[in-house]
Amino acid sequence: AKNLSAYQRKDGYLEGNSCIVSWCLGHLAEYAPPEIYNEKYAKWQFEDLPIIPEVWKVQVSEDKKKQFDVLCGLINRADVAYLVNGCDAGREGELVARWILKIAGNKKPVRRLWISSVTDKAIREGFKNLKDGRAYLNLYAAAEARAEADWLVGMNGTRALTCRYNAQLSCGRVQTPTLALIAAREQEIKSFVPKRFYTLTTVSHGMT
């Protein structure tokens, strides 16, 4: 905001003579939980698995609705000609912004700020070289595929384990294999048996 001379502080954003700067709070939107697709999923039952949505539903996180409403109002302001996606330069940053724009019903052009540093110089140079947002559609598609995989593994795996073993157990696409790696390494350490070993030392006498 400083680099764009947006100093006028408002509720949820900063405004200058020619631009508005606002922010997200992590993932403002997320894939809806199973019970949104069908009320019967509110009760965890093994026979209902797997749950695979035919059409994915994205919803605003309840605890972040206030900031989303701010963004939605700004996106649809009559005096806003185009939008700049300044979220993290990566897959998740693309997803955060795209879902907000999708729910807000954005029809305006989107440009992409792609920077890996938040120094004043990097920010100013980034705004001088904004990219066409459409160039990152494949990155957005990859992010959605990752989100769907997380949902399918997490929701189904967690419910399956919990129902099968009658205990609060969780499963995740990243969490579970990572935990397995840690557990396997811990087991290796616990079962380690010291063995005698020898080192070889040589002495050579030759011409220098």
Side-chain angles (χ1 to χ4, degrees):
K2 177 186 69 176
N3 284 286
L4 298 172
S5 299
Y7 295 114
Q8 193 174 354
R9 182 168 290 278
K10 306 280 187 174
D11 186 13
Y13 65 98
L14 293 157
E15 189 164 358
N17 292 329
S18 61
C19 69
I20 301 165
V21 178
S22 190
W23 49 86
C24 303
L25 303 167
H27 282 265
L28 289 181
E30 60 192 4
Y31 275 138
E35 55 269 24
I36 296 299
Y37 295 93
N38 193 316
E39 290 182 0
K40 72 175 183 178
Y41 295 142
K43 184 178 181 181
W44 291 26
Q45 300 182 103
F46 194 83
E47 53 267 28
D48 287 334
L49 303 176
I51 302 168
I52 304 176
E54 290 186 14
V55 178
W56 291 91
K57 297 180 180 179
V58 180
Q59 66 179 26
V60 178
S61 303
E62 195 60 38
D63 60 333
K64 297 169 183 174
K65 193 172 184 305
K66 181 181 177 182
Q67 184 60 19
F68 171 79
D69 289 341
V70 169
L71 288 170
C72 192
L74 295 173
I75 289 167
N76 293 294
R77 254 176 61 164
D79 60 343
V80 172
Y82 67 91
L83 308 170
V84 175
N85 172 8
C87 290
D88 290 348
R91 189 176 64 180
E92 292 310 300
E94 198 66 23
L95 188 68
V96 169
R98 296 271 185 166
W99 275 358
I100 292 169
L101 297 172
K102 181 179 180 179
I103 300 175
N106 176 58
K107 303 295 182 186
K108 297 173 182 177
V110 178
R111 298 177 188 176
R112 188 61 159 103
L113 173 68
W114 193 269
I115 56 175
S116 56
S117 170
V118 291
T119 62
D120 290 346
K121 181 182 178 182
I123 292 170
R124 287 193 294 267
E125 288 181 354
F127 271 98
K128 289 178 183 177
N129 296 283
L130 294 174
K131 311 295 184 183
D132 187 327
R134 292 172 295 185
Y136 298 88
L137 281 172
N138 285 341
L139 188 65
Y140 170 49
E144 279 207 314
R146 190 279 311 154
E148 290 172 12
D150 278 356
W151 194 100
L152 290 170
V153 174
M155 293 295 180
N156 287 293
T158 296
R159 288 182 178 226
L161 288 169
T162 299
C163 292
R164 176 67 74 188
Y165 297 103
N166 194 29
Q168 278 193 316
L169 301 171
S170 66
C171 175
R173 180 184 62 89
V174 176
Q175 164 199 314
T176 301
T178 302
L179 182 60
L181 287 169
I182 296 170
R185 181 60 180 153
E186 180 66 16
Q187 188 58 42
E188 287 178 9
I189 293 170
K190 286 182 177 179
S191 59
F192 175 74
V193 178
K195 294 182 180 179
R196 184 183 295 276
F197 69 93
Y198 300 90
T199 58
L200 179 65
T201 303
T202 63
V203 178
S204 63
H205 299 280
M207 296 178 63
T208 58

